[in-house]
Amino acid sequence: MTFNGYFSDGNELADKEVFDAIRSELTRQQDQIELIASENFASKEVIAALGCVMTNKYAEGYPSRRYYSGCSCVDVAENIAIERVCKLFNCKYANVQPHSGAQANLSVFYALMSPGDTFLGMGLDMGGHLTHGATPTISGKWFKSISYGINEDGLIDYDNVQKLAEEHNPKLILAGASSYSRKIDFKRFREIADSVGAYLFVDIAHYAGLVVAGLYPSPMEHAHVVSSTTHKTLRGPRGGIILTNDEVLAKKINSAVFPGVQGGPQMHSIAAKAVAFGEALRPEFKEYAKKVLENSIAMAKRLKENGLDIVSGKTECHMSIVDLTKLSVTGKIASLELEEAGITCNKNAIPFDKLPPTKTSGIRIGSAAMSTRNFGVSEFQKIADMIYTVLSNYGKSGYDDLRQRVRGEALELCRAYPLYK
Ligand code: DSN
């Protein structure tokens, strides 16, 4: 395993215990079908930048305005990252320092609200993210968070969002989701926000790569502020970004990220973000995103042909939420059994789920990672059949052999499309 590229003496890690864990993780990634909708495979170049000497550098502040000397080289990397991400999303200002999506969201709250302020976010059980107001998080504890959700058809209930906005007069409305497979109407959200004088904050963590490719609506012309992670459909290193077209808000956000929420930025990670943004600017990335969407639609369609329900009836992005209520498996069992069969995904609540979040009645599947490995429509249709075979036979006689057979098929598929070779 010498792909790291940062030192070439073949001794990347003398620490055998840790190195063995890393090597095993590489093998796991190579040999399993990865359907976790929030995961992807960053390029070797991105991983090389992540493992570089910039990890040694403190650079509190922003390019040309640092609290430490010796920042000229990391300034170059951060400026490249900012310039590239602004070009990607067609926006004027970007902060590329958030260590994660959660840190990015916390920074936006810190910039735009005070403790006790009210905001609207999509409920966790309805497809929203933890940081969109769920009670165990700062977003739900330090602010008065009001949840909106989806209707019986599994679609965002915009009339209800309008009603809640009028009733609660929020300071901010947060649009975006972790498990919602349909296009979000950002224009409508902005109209609702304007009608009550609220900020519109959009979190596109899941959809960012598709937004870049023009395959999912861009919130940039509607939102006051946009956040994202960099490692999902955008296929970069783990991390967060915050974007805006408003100069005043951009300044508030910079102060909120540092010194408000974070200390020193992780400059190796910012260098890796710059590399990933460069990759996403290339025409090949649009081709990749097109495949992600085609593959996702094909997988959902095939699952439906097999008799399973997809929440909201279809997908318009890289992910689908599969409703398992017709089968005798919970989301928890399904994700465990599929892992045994060589397919990783996660349990996921379905709208109005009767089971607790630790069990759930659904799973969430996504196409971003295996599309990076060049799986096409026929491979994704095969994966849908494999999922159905495992879940519909769970607990029946001969099940263990059948699951083993699927494991073999998964391995064969993976070996046909090598990763990091
Ligand atoms: N936990 C991520 C996801 O799986 O959607 C979001 O941060």
Side-chain angles (χ1 to χ4, degrees), residues 97-408:
Q97 294 192 358
H99 303 326
S100 69
Q103 303 275 46
N105 289 354
L106 180 59
S107 302
V108 176
F109 291 147
Y110 189 60
L112 303 184
M113 293 196 287
S114 300
D117 279 349
T118 300
F119 81 97
L120 301 189
M122 194 161 177
L124 185 62
D125 55 342
M126 293 279 155
H129 187 249
L130 270 168
T131 59
H132 295 186
T135 36
T137 73
I138 285 180
S139 67
K141 278 210 162 62
W142 288 6
F143 305 98
K144 188 172 171 226
S145 78
I146 307 291
S147 296
Y148 62 84
I150 49 186
N151 58 26
E152 294 289 332
D153 298 326
L155 300 171
I156 291 175
D157 187 343
Y158 295 95
D159 291 338
N160 184 244
V161 179
Q162 176 79 56
K163 192 168 153 277
L164 291 171
E166 285 164 14
E167 203 173 308
H168 296 279
N169 200 22
K171 187 88 177 277
L172 177 152
I173 297 178
L174 206 175
S178 260
S179 38
Y180 185 69
S181 64
R182 303 297 288 272
K183 288 181 179 160
I184 298 175
D185 187 345
F186 298 123
K187 183 168 176 285
R188 179 86 193 269
F189 264 109
R190 178 59 187 256
E191 285 162 4
I192 298 171
D194 282 348
S195 74
V196 295
Y199 287 117
L200 175 61
F201 167 32
V202 178
D203 176 350
I204 52 166
H206 266 276
Y207 315 104
L210 300 177
V211 170
V212 162
L215 299 170
Y216 194 87
S218 169
M220 232 37 254
E221 63 172 302
H222 305 295
H224 293 95
V225 180
V226 172
S227 74
S228 182
T229 51
T230 45
H231 48 273
K232 298 187 176 87
T233 50
L234 201 48
R235 207 167 57 178
R238 302 191 75 84
I241 47 172
I242 306 173
L243 314 169
T244 182
N245 279 317
D246 183 312
E247 190 179 358
V248 175
L249 293 183
K251 284 189 179 141
K252 283 188 182 198
I253 283 160
N254 280 352
S255 308
V257 174
F258 172 81
V261 168
Q262 295 186 172
Q266 300 185 349
M267 297 316 302
H268 57 302
S269 178
I270 289 173
K273 286 176 187 174
V275 173
F277 300 152
E279 291 174 356
L281 280 166
R282 291 190 203 130
E284 301 90 281
F285 189 84
K286 283 200 171 61
E287 289 307 309
Y288 159 70
K290 242 167 80 183
K291 279 195 319 193
V292 169
L293 186 59
E294 269 170 25
N295 291 338
S296 173
I297 291 170
M299 180 161 60
K301 200 161 162 264
R302 187 63 155 251
L303 283 167
K304 279 183 81 170
E305 284 161 8
N306 277 322
L308 290 182
D309 289 328
I310 301 294
V311 171
S312 89
K314 64 175 185 179
T315 180
E316 295 176 318
C317 65
H318 62 298
M319 72 169 125
S320 297
I321 319 305
V322 187
D323 182 336
L324 302 173
T325 42
K326 282 185 185 161
L327 302 175
S328 57
V329 281
T330 62
K332 181 181 176 183
I333 291 172
S335 61
L336 291 172
E337 292 302 315
L338 287 171
E339 183 172 2
E340 287 295 315
I343 300 171
T344 41
C345 64
N346 62 279
K347 60 178 175 286
N348 210 94
I350 58 166
F352 314 105
D353 207 324
K354 293 189 177 65
L355 295 179
T358 46
K359 287 205 173 95
T360 80
S361 304
I363 50 171
R364 184 185 64 166
I365 52 173
S367 60
M370 297 318 279
S371 298
T372 293
R373 287 184 75 163
N374 282 318
F375 275 37
V377 163
S378 62
E379 285 77 20
F380 274 91
Q381 286 170 334
K382 177 146 178 61
I383 294 170
D385 291 342
M386 289 154 72
I387 291 173
Y388 184 73
T389 301
V390 172
L391 302 185
S392 62
N393 285 290
Y394 174 69
K396 295 184 183 162
S397 95
Y399 171 71
D400 286 351
D401 289 345
L402 191 141
R403 193 184 60 189
Q404 202 49 33
R405 198 194 76 210
V406 173
R407 175 75 192 108

Side-chain angles (χ1 to χ4, degrees), residues 87-107:
K87 203 162 165 195
L88 267 180
F89 290 96
N90 195 20
C91 70
K92 289 192 187 138
Y93 307 98
N95 188 305
V96 296
Q97 294 192 358
H99 303 326
S100 69
Q103 303 275 46
N105 289 354
L106 180 59
S107 302

